[in-house]
């Protein structure tokens, strides 16, 4: 896969979460509503020792509302889990968050037993923006570079409600290839870590079958109905978009790098319509495939290792 990033401060964040979680009542996992499955940390349950979890589907303003409803239903059916949708236009998100946390941990509250909450999420998911809204200040710095929230910080939301922030974190092994592409498309991965053309092609491959109308409208592809677009090669669609936008290299050739940047920018800005890149059902299939492939890889590696080892008899010199 083309997505390669350094986990950076992941190990220290992991350590900080493991330490902090001992005194935590509820974990808030901020997810990107456009890719809830892919933006969920696969190590979180283990790191947080199964603490009750509030899944906040953030940036819902950019996501497909029907699919957000599917994801909320999916999460709300899980034990010790609640899910709410959110976006930055919400001026008082604290009410919803505080209410959901009290539902998850009903015995906490009051000065003697304040609610202690840990918030985590991938880079660029909107954590700093949310915390700024919650605190009404500029305590957390926001920015468009992945992973700008650096230090764990405690925020007092009320006298009996504490929130600990953690740095945005990605994990080093993404076993679902589509997750890598979706994370890159969303802006969670620094731009040097992936090939924009490859990610844009994967993105178009999904969008042409699921959100053709949005692409046709934004790029003024009036000649392409949904069926024709779905039947097109991803490369041909990227080429058509580049041509429409005047991303040319000369001699009529399309600047595919530029075209890819345009596609990603339009997607991130929500200009292709409200889009969600995965449904719970799709993600479950991708995950099962990814886990199977990962197990096969591990088995092959173990077999190779075994092959390379000297036979026990030979090693101990007890050959007859
Ligand atoms: P982080 O701390 O999790 O890394 O994310 P941060 O809050 O810095 O937000 C990353 C980007 O996502 C910011 O945009 C922010 O405005 C945007 N964002 C956050 N929440 C929402 C939301 O609910 N909906 C939408 N549509 N966008 C959201 P940016 O590109 O850095 O620029 P700017 O908006 O600050 O100009």
């Amino acid at each position: 896969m083309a997505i390669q990033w350094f986990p950076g401060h992941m190990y220290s964040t992991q350590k900080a979460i493991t330490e902090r979680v001992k005194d935590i009542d509820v974990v808030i996992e901020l997810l990107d509503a456009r890719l809830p499955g892919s933006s969920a940390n696969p190590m979180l349950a283990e790191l947080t020792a199964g603490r009750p979890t509030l899944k906040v589907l953030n940036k819902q303003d950019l996501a497909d509302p029907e699919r957000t409803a599917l994801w909320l239903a999916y999460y709300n059916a899980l034990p010790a889990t609640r899910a709410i949708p959110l976006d930055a236009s919400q001026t008082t998100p604290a009410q919803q968050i505080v209410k959901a946390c009290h539902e998850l941990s009903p015995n906490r509250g009051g000065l003697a037993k304040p609610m202690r909450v840990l918030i985590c999420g991938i880079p660029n998911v909107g954590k700093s923006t949310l915390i700024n809204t919650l605190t009404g200040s500029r305590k957390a710095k926001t920015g468009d570079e992945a992973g700008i929230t650096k230090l764990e910080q405690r925020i007092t939301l009320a006298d009996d409600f504490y929130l600990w922030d953690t740095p945005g974190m990605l994990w080093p092994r993404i076993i679902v290839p589509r997750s890598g592409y979706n994370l890159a498309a969303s802006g969670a991965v620094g731009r040097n870590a992936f090939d924009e053309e490859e990610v844009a092609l994967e993105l178009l491959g999904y969008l042409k079958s699921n959100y053709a109308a949005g692409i046709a409208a934004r790029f003024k592809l009036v000649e392409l109905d949904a069926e024709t677009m779905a039947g097109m090669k991803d490369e041909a669609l990227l080429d058509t978009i580049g041509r429409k936008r005047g991303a040319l290299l000369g001699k009529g050739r399309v600047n595919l790098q530029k075209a890819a940047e345009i596609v990603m920018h339009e997607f991130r800005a929500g200009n292709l319509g409200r889009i969600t890149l995965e449904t719970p059902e799709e993600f479950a299939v991708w995950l099962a495939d990814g886990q199977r492939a990962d197990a096969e890889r591990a088995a092959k590696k173990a077999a190779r290792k075994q092959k390379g080892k000297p036979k026990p008899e030979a090693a101990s010199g007890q050959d007859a």
Side-chain angles (χ1 to χ4, degrees):
M1 184 176 44
I3 324 292
Q4 288 291 338
W5 61 77
F6 294 105
H9 50 267
M10 189 198 73
Y11 293 107
S12 51
T13 304
Q14 220 170 293
K15 202 160 157 251
I17 292 180
T18 317
E19 273 304 304
R20 172 63 52 206
V21 87
K22 292 174 190 154
D23 303 316
I24 285 296
D25 306 304
V26 174
V27 173
I28 296 180
E29 185 174 21
L30 211 53
L31 299 174
D32 189 324
R34 297 167 298 171
L35 46 143
S38 294
S39 58
N41 186 339
M43 302 182 307
L44 193 72
E46 198 185 321
L47 283 177
T48 60
R51 288 284 186 285
T53 304
L54 172 62
K55 310 269 186 189
V56 175
L57 272 62
N58 200 37
K59 303 197 183 184
Q60 65 143 348
D61 55 315
L62 299 174
D64 178 340
E66 280 179 25
R67 291 185 171 201
T68 299
L70 292 178
W71 278 104
L72 291 173
Y74 167 77
Y75 285 128
N76 279 319
L78 297 178
T81 308
R82 296 197 81 79
I84 57 169
L86 207 69
D87 66 66
S89 72
Q90 183 107 22
T91 49
T92 51
Q95 284 168 359
Q96 273 189 79
I97 291 177
V98 169
K99 181 169 170 273
C101 289
H102 280 300
E103 284 166 4
L104 281 164
S105 189
N107 297 328
R108 300 296 305 191
L111 290 179
K113 284 196 291 177
M115 178 73 76
R116 299 154 308 172
V117 175
L118 185 77
I119 184 164
C120 29
I122 57 169
N124 230 26
V125 70
K127 200 148 55 64
S128 315
T129 307
L130 173 63
I131 289 171
N132 285 338
T133 313
L134 287 171
T135 56
S137 72
R138 301 289 302 170
K139 263 195 196 106
K141 203 173 152 203
T142 65
D144 57 5
E145 277 303 306
I148 206 156
T149 313
K150 291 273 184 268
L151 297 167
E152 190 197 44
Q153 33 181 332
R154 191 186 99 169
I155 295 130
T156 308
L157 276 195
D159 287 343
D160 66 345
F161 200 108
Y162 303 151
L163 189 67
W164 273 271
D165 188 16
T166 57
M169 174 171 132
L170 273 176
W171 34 100
R173 250 164 40 85
I174 303 251
I175 63 165
V176 177
R178 279 227 67 90
S179 289
Y181 291 121
N182 290 352
L183 285 163
S186 76
V189 183
R191 61 181 296 179
N192 295 331
F194 61 90
D195 181 293
E196 273 153 330
E197 203 179 311
E198 189 177 349
V199 171
L201 285 172
E202 290 290 328
L203 179 62
L204 284 177
Y206 189 84
L207 298 184
K208 71 180 186 191
S209 311
N210 293 277
Y211 294 99
I215 301 183
R218 182 66 187 170
F219 297 115
K220 302 194 171 59
L221 307 177
V222 278
E223 67 283 8
L224 291 181
D225 58 44
E227 207 180 318
T228 314
M229 195 189 291
M232 270 174 99
K233 286 229 161 71
D234 304 339
E235 290 79 1
L237 186 53
L238 184 62
D239 192 274
T240 307
I241 290 169
R243 218 167 276 289
K244 274 274 173 189
R245 284 293 180 92
L248 298 172
L249 284 171
K251 290 192 185 160
R253 277 189 310 133
V254 169
N255 183 339
L256 292 173
Q257 166 67 25
K258 182 86 189 128
E261 285 171 17
I262 292 171
V263 168
M264 298 236 277
H265 168 79
E266 298 289 12
F267 166 70
R268 288 178 186 168
N271 295 337
L272 306 178
R274 295 179 70 174
I275 289 171
T276 300
L277 297 174
E278 47 202 47
T279 64
E281 258 180 39
E282 280 171 339
F283 188 76
V285 173
W286 301 344
L287 184 60
D289 289 347
Q291 284 169 337
R292 204 172 18 252
D294 198 49
E296 280 168 16
R297 268 194 303 274
K300 273 190 194 144
K301 196 172 162 193
R304 269 200 309 274
K305 224 173 169 184
Q306 192 63 31
K307 238 183 181 174
K309 265 191 186 167
K311 288 195 179 122
E313 307 86 357
S316 58
Q318 289 174 0
D319 261 351

